[in-house]
Amino acid sequence: MTLFVPLDESSPPPSIPSFLVRSETPNLHLRKAIKAILKAKRLVIVCGAGISVSAGIPDFRSESGLFQTLKRDNPKEALTSGRDLFDASVFNNEHTTSLFCQMIAQLSELSQAASPTLFHQALRSLDERGRLLRVYTQNIDAIELKSGLSFGVPEFDKRRARPRSKPKSTGPPIADQSATSSNTSCTPDSTPGSRYASPAVEVPRCIPLHGTLQTVHCQTCMHTFPLENHVSSLTSGTPPYCPECTQMEETRQLVGKRARGVGKLRPSVVLYNELHKDGEGVGEVVRRDLIGGSKGKGWSGADALLVVGTSLRVPGTKRMVREFSKAVRARGCPSSRDTVSASTGLATPSPSPGKGSTASAEDSPIKSIYLNFDFPGPAREWEGVFDAWLQGDAQSFGEILMEEITKEAAGKEAALERKRKREQGAAPLEGAEETGLPKKKAKTKNPNSGKPVSKRDTKASGTPSDRPRNPKSKRREDIDISTTSPPGIAADNPRLTIRIPPRTRVPEVCIITPRAPKLPCTPPDTHHNHRTTTHSLSHSDATDESDLSELEPDNLEVADELPTVMRTAQYGLRAIG
């Protein structure tokens, strides 16, 4: 099913096609379609002559279009339609060639005087948002270039399609052959089979499907020249001669070579029943936009499609639109069952549900949108291709789209301004930390404020001043190391004092190490090993009491059972009140 959304609610619903479902809330679905366009990351737009009518350039197939106007202005030519002047057979007759050149000159003057419309400005705004993948235009006026879009058909390197082949050696290797081959292989694209990829080709944002009125090209040497330099010749109905062929002919005459002839210039527009001279480049761009970039690029193909201002009568454009619709709808719904017809080669979208599925058609996502006054015909060929048909003028839709883009930009600007203010408010706090000024702390609610406090918790917690500090934030002042002696102890006995920050009472550990006296020398035969003596002495007869009295200070009490005279240590704990 295709959802029918009229831009003007008073317009009557069309009788055909039968698979259309009229929206019960057109404004809501119009906003939904616009949101789908703005949310798309890789939007593809296919536009026709309907977007340039308000700029003063006529379309082709309407009652006041170019085909009917040419037929009415040339009654003697017995033209069945103005389409006859856009056929490749116009160059078979001098008279029709003259009419064609005059018509092109008039269209060129109209294109030069035309200004971008609201829809062209919307294209530019979409491009500035960075989510417009491509614009494929059937127009030849090149107004998209005036609106600010890059325009043209890229020239891809044809050497990429050539198979890689190594040159066959017919004889023994030469001494300098290895050095030559190594130097050659280091140069990118030095040979057709080089493994180095050529630089990426920059693809313009807008691709002209049917050529442009900006240039003319020679049918003999295929050189391209600006059309504005040859407007006077085209206005008179005479195709101008090619300057490149003329110069080459003069050079050949000077060197005595035979003449090859001088080609004539023709407008670089694509006519019916002829091939596009840049068809390979256009096809390569379409292929890349359908399937996405090459390996490792990290981007996929189009995810939304908008077709506007075209009746979709040209076979090549019809096929391209169907392929893009299939691609974007498959990405939106991975379970799509679209197939490719074996007879026509065109993508056949999945069949639409029955007429009773109005709710499902209104709730389904919108990925493929058609915007025009009339639905393309024959209608049966477009069943299941578009998710929504917006009936109305392209300029009205462009105005609504521009309003939404402006609102979106204003919302982003307001968000940036709020972020900037938050950063400016945080800057003074950072400056206070750097200068050492006190910083206001945010008041936090005590989680235990409503709970009863027991005596045990009160004793454990204590007052805020008595609470222990975080052990990770220990300072150098918490550890005091001194070697002064306490009163009453001789200065010969230094003391090591270590203060450990306790919770309530701080114990003090005193380690007193008296200096060992100088022992008299004993004969070698009576002197014993220090380690052996220390461990072998007993508590009863190891030392003499007189020796101990010489080592001890007067005010120091030492136990009678000290095992050695080499070192005396006493450990005492004293509480500091």
Side-chain angles (χ1 to χ4, degrees):
M1 287 292 183
T2 299
L3 189 64
F4 172 65
V5 182
L7 299 184
D8 185 6
E9 298 182 8
S10 61
S11 60
S15 57
I16 56 173
S18 58
F19 53 82
L20 290 180
V21 176
R22 185 179 179 89
S23 173
E24 297 179 357
T25 55
N27 291 331
L28 179 62
H29 286 99
L30 176 61
R31 300 296 176 183
K32 183 179 180 180
I34 293 178
K35 183 178 179 180
I37 293 174
L38 297 180
K39 292 295 182 181
K41 296 181 179 180
R42 296 170 299 276
L43 175 65
V44 170
I45 299 179
V46 180
C47 53
I51 68 172
S52 300
V53 173
S54 61
I57 299 176
D59 59 356
F60 290 93
R61 291 180 173 83
S62 64
E63 296 181 357
S64 58
L66 190 60
F67 289 166
Q68 297 296 330
T69 303
L70 291 174
K71 179 181 178 181
R72 186 168 52 251
D73 294 343
N74 299 278
K76 298 181 180 180
E77 307 303 329
L79 297 175
T80 57
S81 172
R83 182 180 181 277
D84 296 341
L85 291 181
F86 284 89
D87 193 274
S89 60
V90 296
F91 298 109
N92 298 335
N93 188 347
E94 292 184 0
H95 184 63
T96 54
T97 301
S98 178
L99 291 177
F100 175 73
C101 291
Q102 293 176 3
M103 178 193 63
I104 291 295
Q106 295 176 4
L107 290 177
S108 177
E109 292 176 357
L110 293 175
S111 300
Q112 293 293 333
S115 299
T117 63
L118 285 176
F119 192 84
H120 289 96
Q121 296 175 9
L123 293 178
R124 173 61 179 174
S125 299
L126 290 173
D127 185 30
E128 291 176 349
R129 295 175 71 254
R131 297 186 178 184
L132 179 62
L133 177 60
R134 202 78 59 216
V135 175
Y136 293 94
T137 178
Q138 299 182 84
N139 301 334
I140 59 177
D141 48 36
I143 301 181
E144 294 85 0
L145 181 62
K146 293 182 179 181
S147 64
L149 299 179
S150 55
F151 189 85
V153 179
E155 295 181 0
F156 295 97
D157 190 2
K158 297 181 181 179
R159 294 180 296 176
R160 294 182 179 181
R162 298 182 182 180
R164 298 177 181 177
S165 60
K166 298 181 179 180
K168 298 180 180 180
S169 58
T170 57
I174 306 175
D176 298 337
Q177 184 176 357
S178 59
T180 306
S181 61
S182 62
N183 294 336
T184 305
S185 62
C186 293
T187 306
D189 292 343
S190 57
T191 59
S194 174
R195 67 178 61 186
Y196 293 94
S198 59
V201 179
E202 183 178 358
V203 181
R205 189 67 62 198
C206 183
I207 305 296
L209 298 176
H210 298 159
T212 174
L213 291 172
Q214 287 189 322
T215 59
V216 291
H217 66 274
C218 178
Q219 302 182 34
T220 302
C221 66
M222 301 304 294
H223 276 77
T224 303
F225 306 92
L227 186 143
E228 58 184 0
N229 298 337
H230 306 278
V231 173
S232 58
S233 179
L234 293 174
T235 304
S236 63
T238 304
Y241 287 98
C242 175
E244 186 71 21
C245 293
T246 302
Q247 185 178 0
M248 182 63 66
E249 189 67 18
E250 293 175 355
T251 304
R252 293 180 65 87
Q253 290 179 1
L254 291 176
V255 298
K257 293 185 177 181
R258 63 183 180 86
R260 288 187 175 180
V262 178
K264 292 184 177 182
L265 300 180
R266 55 155 292 183
S268 299
V269 296
V270 183
L271 303 178
Y272 290 99
N273 299 320
E274 75 170 354
L275 297 177
H276 198 312
K277 73 181 186 69
D278 298 325
E280 294 182 1
V282 174
E284 179 64 20
V285 176
V286 172
R287 185 190 67 83
R288 294 186 180 189
D289 292 346
L290 279 171
I291 65 176
S294 57
K295 295 181 180 179
K297 295 296 182 181
W299 59 275
S300 57
D303 60 352
L305 174 66
L306 173 62
V307 182
V308 52
T310 174
S311 58
L312 296 176
R313 297 290 183 87
V314 181
T317 306
K318 289 172 60 175
R319 180 185 180 93
M320 183 183 68
V321 168
R322 293 176 67 90
E323 293 293 337
F324 271 115
S325 175
K326 175 187 174 182
V328 300
R329 299 182 80 189
R331 290 187 178 94
C333 181
S335 61
S336 177
R337 296 173 295 176
D338 296 352
T339 57
V340 178
S341 176
S343 58
T344 62
L346 298 176
T348 304
S350 57
S352 301
K355 295 182 179 180
S357 59
T358 304
S360 61
E362 293 185 355
D363 297 338
S364 60
I366 297 178
K367 292 287 185 178
S368 179
I369 304 172
Y370 180 72
L371 172 62
N372 204 14
F373 283 105
D374 301 320
F375 199 77
R380 63 179 181 275
E381 295 183 359
W382 301 104
E383 183 177 1
V385 175
F386 300 110
D387 295 322
W389 170 29
L390 307 182
Q391 186 189 45
D393 183 26
Q395 307 308 321
S396 301
F397 182 78
E399 184 177 2
I400 300 174
L401 189 60
M402 285 291 294
E403 292 178 357
E404 294 296 327
I405 294 175
T406 304
K407 291 180 181 179
E408 183 186 49
K412 291 182 178 180
E413 185 65 25
L416 291 176
E417 185 65 23
R418 290 193 298 268
K419 181 179 179 181
R420 193 180 301 111
K421 290 182 179 180
R422 287 196 302 267
E423 293 176 353
Q424 292 177 356
L429 298 178
E430 296 177 358
E433 293 179 356
E434 295 177 358
T435 56
L437 296 178
K439 178 181 177 181
K440 292 184 179 180
K441 296 183 180 180
K443 295 182 179 180
T444 56
K445 185 178 180 181
N446 187 3
N448 300 324
S449 59
K451 299 181 180 179
V453 182
S454 62
K455 295 182 178 180
R456 181 179 301 177
D457 296 338
T458 306
K459 293 181 179 180
S461 61
T463 60
S465 60
D466 297 336
R467 293 178 183 176
R469 298 179 181 176
N470 188 1
K472 293 184 179 180
S473 61
K474 186 181 292 183
R475 297 178 299 177
R476 298 180 68 92
E477 294 80 2
D478 296 335
I479 300 176
D480 184 13
I481 300 176
S482 61
T483 57
T484 60
S485 300
I489 300 179
D492 295 339
N493 299 321
R495 184 185 65 178
L496 178 64
T497 304
I498 303 176
R499 289 192 177 93
I500 303 175
R503 292 187 178 181
T504 57
R505 301 179 63 84
V506 181
E508 185 179 22
V509 179
C510 300
I511 302 175
I512 302 175
T513 57
R515 296 180 182 178
K518 295 182 180 180
L519 298 178
C521 297
T522 56
D525 53 348
T526 60
H527 184 69
H528 299 281
N529 192 357
H530 172 67
R531 291 184 180 179
T532 306
T533 304
T534 303
H535 293 284
S536 61
L537 290 178
S538 61
H539 293 283
S540 60
D541 55 352
T543 58
D544 190 10
E545 294 181 359
S546 61
D547 295 334
L548 291 175
S549 60
E550 294 178 357
L551 296 175
E552 297 174 357
D554 297 337
N555 58 350
L556 183 62
E557 297 179 0
V558 183
D560 297 335
E561 296 82 13
L562 289 178
T564 180
V565 297
M566 299 296 298
R567 182 178 298 271
T568 302
Q570 179 178 2
Y571 299 87
L573 296 179
R574 185 178 61 184
I576 299 177

